[in-house]
Amino acid sequence: MEIRLTKREDELCSLLDQCTRHLKENEGIETSCRIAGGWVRDKLLGSQCNDIDIALENMMGVPFAERFVDYCRTVKDLAAKNVAKIESNPDQSKHLETARTTVLGIELDFVNLRSEEYAENSRIPTQVAFGTPLQDAIRRDITINALFYNVHSREVEDHTGKGLDDLRDGIVRTPLAPRETFMDDPLRVLRCIRFASRFGFSMVPELQEAAKDSAIQEALRLKISRERVGEELDKMMGGRNPLLAVDLINSLSLYTSVFNIHEGLGIKLSGSPSSPQNALKAALILHAFANPARPVTTLSGLPLPSLPAVHPLLLSELSTQNNPSRRLYLAAALTPYRDLTYAQKGKERPAVEAVIREGLKLGAQHHYLDGIPALFSASQLLRKGIADYEDGNMDKPERAWIGTLLREKSVHNPVTGSMWSTSLLFSLVQELVSIWPDDALDTEAATKRIGAYNKLATRIEELDLPSAVDAKSILDGREVVKILEAPSAGPWTGQVLARVIEWQLEHPQGTKEECETWLRGEQAAGNINISVGKRVKGGDADAKAKKAKR
């Protein structure tokens, strides 16, 4: 394993080396620079990393960064961003002041090598002082993140003596005893899971045992900010193997520590979440559908039998630029909360919303907060809809009935990232979880449910419905008012527009003129009421109007 520098990286290392010599010669300041952590690990694995952390010996980050920026500008005539100071925050286990700048297009963070002393039963250091490379390395989260690249000697330094071997062997291990490392910062438990799932590495047994320690889990639940927990979980869901991340959370009994709403918030759920095993089941089924050529074995030994493939339409969004995998896996992980609600300002809200917003402090990024509750709402709607379709319980012609179902706001709404194909896929996952008891999935029942969804997807394709889901009404509200000679628009307008959409779905080749003729005929037959009434907020008319305008 060796590090091969790009041209810019080589130039940066030379600049840092020259700057330290310049400081010694002109100011009598002696320091050395080492690239630390993730960049070293990723370069050794053959990956590129665009952010670089520089660890300084016997010098704080800000004074060195300011001198380095000045050196680049005045001596080397290079552009460099002004230094930004990021304060330390011991309460959130951020113990080092950091200086940030950008040189040669590379974002750089400068910190000092540190040595820390901790009081008993405290994760906050009583003293953070300048340290040696060894003292700094052993206080890092895992050995593969404790490697340094010395910019002066151009050599990799492995002060723990295990980092390079663990990188070669695929091992996640803490430099110190894992319980000590985790008590220093309980978030490191989740970082271990993230890197294990990202690289497919194995955790050493003593690390797994420490992660199951009740004191560690309580500290993770109560002492670490939910923002930091959510950030780690977000990275897991967007990583290479989110299924393994969910599997590790489950096998290490960490589910309630991760997906936790603090009692002090006063949020009362309608019941208790179901077994965390349901999160793993949902993620496992999702993985099986999305990656049929990559069979997996879970740490708990949870078996997944061979299942029929799902219709390609259900997987179509997974190959797009807006790939929803991140959102789907987090939604799968929240399956234990799917049937629960909580009260907010007198209204009943889905519990998954509270977990995302308060328990993980995740917002609308990747459509977590708006898109995941919609997935669960759509799964309930689609489950009933597909059962009705199987039984032939349709109150309108087939194309109009299916198209109307797919156009439901929770099923398909680009504003929240909801796409009908993804909603169908997630609904199927949830149905299969429902027929999977503690032992094994009912293969016969699962095959039947997959067949029902595939049959619907086939008809969607045959009826050329994908292009109709986003179609706008052939008539707008003003045209409807004029055609029906109504005194003004009102709640009735949305109802009529919804019927226009149904007409379009039933008559895919129909023209605007034909639609106008049909509309006048419906009015003459007494099937349209254009009485102007007061709009009722949240009423059916509003809902239909919004759906029709899409």
Side-chain angles (χ1 to χ4, degrees), residues 431-503:
E431 278 215 48
L432 297 189
V433 171
S434 297
I435 58 174
W436 190 344
D438 292 337
D439 45 7
L441 177 62
D442 185 335
T443 306
E444 183 177 348
T447 299
K448 182 179 179 181
R449 297 319 304 148
I450 294 170
Y453 279 76
N454 284 349
K455 180 180 178 181
L456 180 65
T458 299
R459 284 303 287 157
I460 290 170
E461 196 170 48
E462 292 171 347
L463 295 170
D464 193 26
L465 275 168
S467 60
V469 177
D470 285 312
K472 294 183 178 180
S473 174
I474 199 170
L475 301 174
D476 62 29
R478 285 178 296 181
E479 290 171 323
V480 165
V481 170
K482 183 177 180 181
I483 292 167
L484 299 180
E485 299 180 348
S488 65
W492 66 270
T493 315
Q495 298 174 17
V496 172
L497 287 172
R499 292 199 58 199
V500 169
I501 288 290
E502 291 179 10
W503 182 89

Side-chain angles (χ1 to χ4, degrees), residues 37-56:
W39 180 89
V40 186
R41 177 200 65 227
D42 290 349
K43 292 293 284 190
L44 288 169
L45 290 172
S47 300
Q48 191 59 33
C49 185
N50 297 321
D51 301 330
I52 295 181
D53 295 335
I54 308 295
L56 302 162

Side-chain angles (χ1 to χ4, degrees), residues 138 174-184 206-207 210:
I138 62 175
T174 54
L176 297 174
R179 194 178 190 282
E180 181 181 352
T181 297
F182 293 157
M183 287 307 292
D184 288 352
E206 58 269 25
L207 187 153

Side-chain angles (χ1 to χ4, degrees), residues 127-141:
Q127 182 179 1
V128 179
F130 290 133
T132 65
L134 172 60
Q135 289 172 322
D136 187 280
I138 62 175
R139 282 299 176 186
R140 292 183 178 264
D141 51 7

Side-chain angles (χ1 to χ4, degrees), residues 1-16:
M1 304 176 81
E2 63 175 321
I3 286 182
R4 296 185 178 181
L5 301 178
T6 65
K7 183 178 179 180
R8 283 194 309 161
E9 290 167 343
D10 180 70
E11 188 175 352
L12 175 64
C13 288
S14 296
L15 279 172
L16 290 166

Side-chain angles (χ1 to χ4, degrees), residues 504-518:
Q504 288 176 234
L505 290 167
E506 190 177 348
H507 304 85
Q509 305 302 321
T511 64
K512 189 172 184 177
E513 291 72 22
E514 290 171 338
C515 184
E516 292 176 2
T517 301
W518 164 80

Side-chain angles (χ1 to χ4, degrees), residues 277-316:
Q277 193 87 330
N278 287 331
L280 178 56
K281 290 174 181 177
L284 188 56
I285 294 168
L286 178 61
H287 177 92
F289 287 150
N291 306 278
R294 289 171 53 194
V296 295
T297 302
T298 61
L299 298 171
S300 62
L302 188 67
L304 179 68
S306 178
L307 295 173
V310 296
H311 194 286
L313 271 181
L314 272 62
L315 304 174
S316 57

Side-chain angles (χ1 to χ4, degrees), residues 8 12 63 69 83 115 163 179 185 193 195 199-200 218 239 241 265 269 324 352 387 400 409 418 432 459 504 531 545:
R8 283 194 309 161
L12 175 64
V69 166
V83 175
S115 172
R179 194 178 190 282
D185 182 357
I193 292 175
F195 288 113
F199 298 119
E218 182 181 14
N241 194 342
L265 295 172
L269 302 184
V352 293
K409 190 175 181 180
S418 302
L432 297 189
R459 284 303 287 157
Q504 288 176 234
S531 59

